[in-house]
Amino acid sequence: MSKTIITIRHTESEHHKNNCSGGVSYWNLTEAGKKQAFKIGEWLSENENLKGYKMFSSDLPRTFQTSQEVCKSVPLKFETTEKLREIDLGEGNGIPYTEYDKLISPKPEVYDPNHRSFPHAENDTELWNRMKNFYESLLQSDENNFVLVSHGGALLFLHLVIMGKTLDDIKNDYYFGKAGAVSKFIIDESGNCQINYLNKNVI
């Protein structure tokens, strides 16, 4: 049986407004972000039949709060998981960009998925494997329909995994959605992916 996966990138967070990094940090949504997330729920309620869907959310506050607001219009209970967290930036998590830019390790001239931007940071290979393992757990699940609420970087990698792309494709910026972007994928029994919409702005 086919699987349907709808993803939502969390809406406007405090770190979007205070010029700080995200990563594994504990920023809340702004008031505008809460209203945006509520509008996403309204849009989903009007445009998607989500009866019987299973919802998973990153456990970080900005995604948890996005899920709460979405569920005011879409009657789903959600389960939080660390597996949908944003990339762990190590010492770069949640710091002002004035510090971030001084501390970040320059990217190598040739793309290296094992490069770490900060000490103790997750590298691209590790994030890829985390997203791949989570996706495979969905394919093996008895459930068939999912809503996933996560973060920009994590969803970039997860979308590439779902679409059957490779790590090299992270160079293509058009795969990266804005805050609040919604995507929908249908995966048939052979693993082929149909993209109904990708990084759609509904707010």
Side-chain angles (χ1 to χ4, degrees):
M1 185 175 289
S2 66
K3 304 272 186 178
T4 300
I5 298 174
I6 293 174
T7 68
I8 303 169
R9 182 182 174 185
H10 72 78
T11 49
E12 185 184 85
S13 166
E14 291 170 340
H15 79 281
H16 293 146
K17 303 297 288 183
N18 64 13
N19 204 34
C20 289
S21 66
V24 179
S25 55
Y26 297 88
W27 303 111
N28 294 308
L29 290 187
T30 63
E31 287 305 311
K34 291 177 182 178
K35 292 176 182 176
Q36 292 166 353
F38 182 77
K39 288 181 180 178
I40 292 171
E42 287 186 318
W43 185 87
L44 288 171
S45 179
E46 293 171 3
N47 292 277
E48 296 288 349
N49 178 9
L50 297 184
K51 184 177 180 181
Y53 272 65
K54 174 73 174 180
M55 190 175 193
F56 290 101
S57 171
S58 158
D59 64 336
L60 297 177
R62 57 195 188 270
T63 36
F64 182 89
Q65 292 162 11
T66 298
S67 302
Q68 284 182 313
E69 294 298 323
V70 168
C71 288
K72 289 179 180 179
S73 299
V74 179
L76 296 176
K77 293 181 179 179
F78 64 91
E79 179 180 324
T80 59
T81 174
E82 293 183 4
K83 296 175 183 177
L84 286 174
R85 284 183 169 188
E86 182 61 292
I87 186 170
D88 188 344
L89 297 172
E91 280 77 350
N93 286 323
I95 63 175
Y97 276 117
T98 50
E99 295 179 34
Y100 184 100
D101 293 338
K102 293 176 184 176
L103 297 175
I104 191 169
S105 175
K107 290 183 179 180
E109 291 185 12
V110 178
Y111 175 61
D112 177 7
N114 297 313
H115 170 75
R116 297 188 193 279
S117 53
F118 296 91
H120 308 111
E122 192 173 27
N123 63 36
D124 284 1
T125 297
E126 290 165 339
L127 178 56
W128 178 269
N129 289 336
R130 175 157 62 90
M131 293 297 105
K132 185 176 180 181
N133 289 340
F134 182 74
Y135 175 60
E136 289 175 349
S137 75
L138 299 184
L139 295 182
Q140 295 165 9
S141 170
D142 292 334
E143 307 280 350
N144 294 313
N145 302 308
F146 304 93
V147 176
L148 311 176
V149 185
S150 189
H151 308 259
L155 285 176
L156 168 62
F157 280 63
L158 180 59
H159 288 172
L160 293 176
V161 169
I162 293 172
M163 292 186 287
K165 302 288 185 179
T166 68
L167 255 177
D168 242 16
D169 289 299
I170 67 167
K171 300 171 187 174
N172 297 318
D173 289 340
Y174 58 85
Y175 289 129
F176 195 88
K178 295 181 179 180
V182 182
S183 303
K184 181 179 180 180
F185 309 92
I186 299 175
I187 301 93
D188 67 21
E189 293 180 0
S190 300
N192 300 311
C193 175
Q194 172 189 317
I195 304 170
N196 280 28
Y197 42 87
L198 180 65
N199 295 324
K200 187 179 182 69
N201 183 15
V202 303
I203 54 178

